[in-house]
């Protein structure tokens, strides 16, 4: 509104000056018209001067009211928006860089931690494996010993049984051969003695 | 050359068509207050300007999608930042409206004048003096308002001038300040007027050489019409130059007005 009043004041002042100029130009124009010649093109014609001044003022008033403030505001608003956007982008970039650094640091720590965990796991696995192998070896040895003992036991039992069978058969055979029977107990004693001697010979 | 005999007559006709006439083509008389040809085209230019401005303002957006709006905004920004802010160190925003109106008024008039059959309203002294007088009134108003009546009158004499010669300097400076009305007006008028005369002469030469061929087609007339191609090429080149001149003159007029306003706005 203030600018509008100023413009009105300006219009008044300028109008006075322009009117004075018009009078001067009109006098010159009349003189040139009398003199004629090409120089008349340089003399402003009143029929052009006055409409042009009025037209300019009208255009100035209209554009000052409706166009220039809107365009000027939009230019400033856009410049502000661009500036703000750039500032925001800059801040976002700084934040992104900070986050990236943080992320890299976290990643490095995680890698380090995972490497430690992996090493520990390997170590634990190795220990478990060693322990399991040792345990298996012990069990194997125990089983082997047991098996050997069982075999020896079985073997001794078989030998003992064989010895007993041989004695019995020998007594029977000897009895039939000599016709006289020894008492069974005597025969067994003889045979056992003989077999044990034979067995000791075999062992040797 | 037979064809060139018609040239003076055609140039006279051209000059007559470029002088101020009544809009109906009759001779202009200072005593009659009728619509002249230049004022008619000024009205055309201002109507076009009004439409352009309406479209531009209506389509103003944060992200511009209208070519008209974009062009007007770019030119307005050019006036605001390069002309007003460049020449007026402090408070240039106050003068943006005046300078932008001046720039768009002159530019539209100049561009309309480039359309074949139209005339630039800036091609007559009546309009250019009206603009320069308005500028003169405006920068003096700014000077008196900003520096005070006596302060502004005193500012015509630069600092450091001996007191004895100060009155002479003052008179010379005031006189040169009044001369600005004339220099601004003549610069714009002469550029537009001369540009149109040259374009007109090349157009006349093009048509003069081609005329015999149109009237009577023969091998001789076809050969005789060949220079028309050269004249047409020259005219086209000059036409492009005139498009540039239309912008440059609007820029120069507005720039000088900004310089005068800037000088008047602050004591120096």
């Amino acid at each position: 509104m203030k600018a509008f009043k100023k413009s009105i004041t300006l219009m008044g002042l300028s109008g006075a000056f322009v009117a004075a100029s018009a009078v001067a130009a009109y006098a010159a124009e009349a003189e040139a018209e009398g003199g004629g010649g090409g120089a008349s093109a340089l003399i402003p014609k009143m029929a052009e001067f006055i409409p042009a001044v009025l037209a300019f003022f009208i255009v100035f008033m209209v554009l000052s009211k409706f166009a220039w403030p809107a365009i000027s505001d939009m230019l400033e608003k856009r410049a502000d928006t661009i500036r703000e956007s750039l500032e925001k982008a800059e801040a976002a970039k700084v934040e992104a860089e900070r986050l990236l650094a943080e992320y890299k640091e976290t990643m490095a720590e995680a890698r380090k931690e995972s490497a430690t965990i992996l090493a520990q796991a390997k170590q634990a696995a190795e220990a478990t494996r060693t322990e399991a192998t040792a345990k298996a070896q012990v069990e194997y040895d125990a089983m082997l010993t047991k098996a050997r003992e069982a075999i020896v036991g079985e073997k001794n039992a078989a030998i003992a049984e064989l010895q007993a069978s041989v004695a019995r058969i020998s007594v029977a055979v000897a009895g039939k051969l000599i016709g006289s029977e020894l008492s069974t107990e005597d025969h067994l004693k003889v045979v056992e003695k003989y077999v044990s001697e034979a067995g000791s010979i075999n062992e040797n | 050359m037979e064809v060139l005999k018609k040239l003076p007559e055609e140039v006279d006709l051209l000059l007559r068509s470029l002088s101020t006439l009544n809009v109906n083509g009759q001779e202009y008389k200072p005593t009659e207050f009728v619509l002249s040809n230049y004022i008619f085209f000024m009205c055309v230019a201002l109507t076009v300007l009004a439409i352009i401005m309406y479209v531009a303002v209506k389509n103003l957006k944060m992200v511009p999608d209208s070519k008209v709006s974009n062009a007007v905004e770019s030119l307005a920004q050019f006036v605001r930042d390069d002309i007003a802010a460049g020449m007026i160190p402090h408070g240039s925003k106050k003068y943006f409206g005046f300078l932008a109106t001046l720039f768009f008024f002159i530019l539209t008039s100049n561009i309309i004048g480039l359309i074949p059959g139209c005339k630039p309203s800036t091609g007559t002294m009546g309009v250019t003096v009206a603009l320069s007088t308005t500028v003169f009134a405006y920068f003096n108003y700014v000077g008196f308002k900003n520096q005070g009546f006596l302060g502004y009158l005193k500012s015509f004499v630069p600092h450091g001038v001996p007191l004895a010669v100060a009155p002479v300097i003052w008179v010379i400076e005031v006189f040169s300040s009044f001369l600005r009305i004339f220099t601004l007006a003549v610069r714009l008028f002469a550029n537009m007027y001369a540009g149109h005369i040259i374009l007109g002469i090349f157009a006349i030469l093009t048509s003069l050489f081609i005329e015999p061929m149109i009237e009577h087609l023969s091998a001789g007339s076809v050969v005789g019409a060949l220079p028309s191609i050269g004249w047409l090429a020259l005219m086209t080149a000059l036409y492009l130059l005139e498009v540039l001149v239309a912008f440059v003159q609007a820029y120069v007029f507005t720039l000088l007005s900004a310089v005068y306003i800037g000088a008047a706005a602050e004591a120096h």
Side-chain angles (χ1 to χ4, degrees):
Chain A
M1 200 61 203
K2 207 176 170 186
F4 194 69
K5 277 181 187 169
K6 270 185 190 171
S7 302
I8 295 290
T9 318
L10 173 70
M11 260 186 79
L13 282 168
S14 304
F17 176 76
V18 168
S21 308
V23 171
Y26 185 76
E29 186 187 356
E31 197 181 314
E33 199 60 29
S40 66
L42 285 173
I43 305 300
K45 315 281 185 298
M46 275 307 99
E48 290 171 343
F49 182 86
I50 292 167
V53 169
L54 289 175
F56 182 80
F57 274 123
I58 292 166
V59 171
F60 177 45
M61 298 308 289
V62 171
L63 293 183
S64 294
K65 187 119 185 92
F66 299 107
W68 305 134
I71 291 172
S72 208
D73 282 354
M74 182 51 76
L75 288 174
E76 275 174 23
K77 210 187 282 177
R78 191 178 298 133
D80 287 345
T81 309
I82 292 168
R83 197 181 302 114
E84 276 169 21
S85 302
L86 286 174
E87 281 168 6
K88 272 183 193 166
E90 185 61 36
K93 193 184 156 198
V94 170
E95 178 67 11
E97 278 171 358
R98 192 186 64 77
L99 284 174
L100 183 67
E102 206 176 290
Y103 166 77
K104 276 182 181 168
E105 200 179 328
T106 313
M107 281 298 287
E109 271 175 21
R111 264 199 208 104
K112 207 172 155 186
E113 205 171 326
S114 69
T116 313
I117 290 168
L118 197 65
Q120 281 173 353
K122 269 184 186 168
Q123 209 175 346
E126 187 64 30
T128 309
R129 194 178 66 83
T130 314
E131 194 181 335
T133 312
K135 200 176 168 185
Q137 188 65 46
V138 169
E139 275 175 11
Y140 167 76
D141 290 346
M143 280 169 76
L144 195 66
T145 313
K146 220 174 182 177
R148 273 186 185 150
E149 279 172 2
I151 291 165
V152 170
E154 287 294 319
K155 184 185 156 191
N156 288 342
I159 289 168
E161 198 174 332
L162 189 65
Q163 279 176 348
S165 297
V166 168
R168 267 194 311 274
I169 292 164
S170 302
V171 170
V173 170
K176 283 189 178 171
L177 284 175
I178 59 174
S180 63
E181 281 187 9
L182 291 173
S183 71
T184 310
E185 283 180 1
D186 291 339
H187 272 122
L188 281 173
K189 277 179 187 170
V190 173
V191 173
E192 274 172 5
K193 191 184 169 199
Y194 179 76
V195 168
S196 64
E197 280 174 10
S200 65
I201 290 164
N202 282 345
E203 277 175 4
N204 290 330
Chain B
M1 294 285 275
E2 192 66 30
V3 288
L4 288 179
K5 281 182 183 168
K6 286 185 185 171
L7 186 61
E9 188 191 332
E10 294 289 339
V11 171
D12 279 347
L13 274 173
L14 171 72
L15 290 177
R16 186 183 177 276
S17 75
L18 286 176
S19 64
T20 300
L21 300 170
N22 288 346
V23 75
N24 57 12
Q26 289 175 352
E27 208 64 42
Y28 163 78
K29 287 176 189 157
T31 46
E32 290 172 2
F33 217 84
V34 291
L35 187 66
S36 82
N37 48 358
Y38 282 104
I39 293 301
F40 172 75
F41 283 109
M42 182 188 78
C43 294
V44 171
L46 294 184
T47 309
V48 171
L49 179 63
I51 294 167
I52 288 171
M53 283 297 170
Y54 176 76
V55 174
V57 171
K58 203 180 165 194
N59 291 304
L60 276 179
K61 279 177 195 160
M62 187 56 81
V63 181
D65 55 4
S66 151
K67 282 179 185 169
V68 176
S69 188
N70 218 352
V72 169
E73 272 189 47
S74 305
L75 288 172
Q77 191 171 15
F78 171 69
V79 173
R80 189 190 67 170
D81 297 344
D82 293 324
I83 299 180
M87 295 300 132
I88 307 167
H90 305 294
S92 63
K93 276 185 188 173
K94 280 189 281 183
Y95 314 112
F96 163 67
F98 180 80
L99 293 170
T101 308
L102 206 56
F103 181 79
F104 277 88
F105 186 108
I106 298 169
L107 182 65
T108 319
S109 297
N110 292 354
I111 297 288
I112 289 292
L114 284 172
I115 299 168
C118 296
K119 290 188 197 316
S121 58
T122 44
T124 180
M125 278 294 276
V127 174
T128 57
V129 168
L131 293 175
S132 63
T133 309
T134 311
V135 170
F136 181 82
Y138 188 82
F139 76 71
N140 279 302
Y141 163 76
V142 170
F144 284 124
K145 187 170 162 282
N146 285 16
Q147 300 187 47
F149 187 75
L150 281 175
Y152 181 57
L153 287 180
K154 271 193 230 167
S155 76
F156 280 95
V157 181
H159 286 296
V161 171
L163 204 63
V165 291
V168 182
I169 298 289
W170 188 86
V171 171
I172 291 170
E173 286 294 325
V174 169
F175 180 69
S176 75
S177 174
F178 272 94
L179 270 184
R180 287 169 181 175
I181 300 175
F182 192 67
T183 53
L184 273 178
V186 169
R187 185 183 298 107
L188 179 57
F189 157 74
N191 271 288
M192 301 319 294
Y193 188 70
H196 278 72
I197 287 178
I198 294 170
L199 278 178
I201 288 173
F202 284 135
I204 289 169
L205 284 167
T206 308
S207 59
L208 280 182
F209 278 90
I210 213 163
E211 229 169 41
M213 192 185 85
I214 294 166
E215 282 168 5
H216 176 68
L217 191 64
S218 68
S221 66
V222 169
V223 173
L226 284 178
S228 284
I229 299 166
W231 294 122
L232 190 68
L234 269 174
M235 192 180 75
T236 310
L238 267 162
Y239 190 87
L240 294 173
L241 184 71
E242 280 302 305
V243 174
L244 182 69
V245 168
F247 277 93
V248 169
Q249 287 309 312
Y251 169 65
V252 168
F253 197 101
T254 316
L255 186 80
L256 286 172
S257 303
V259 170
Y260 299 152
I261 292 167
E266 284 182 20
H268 50 88

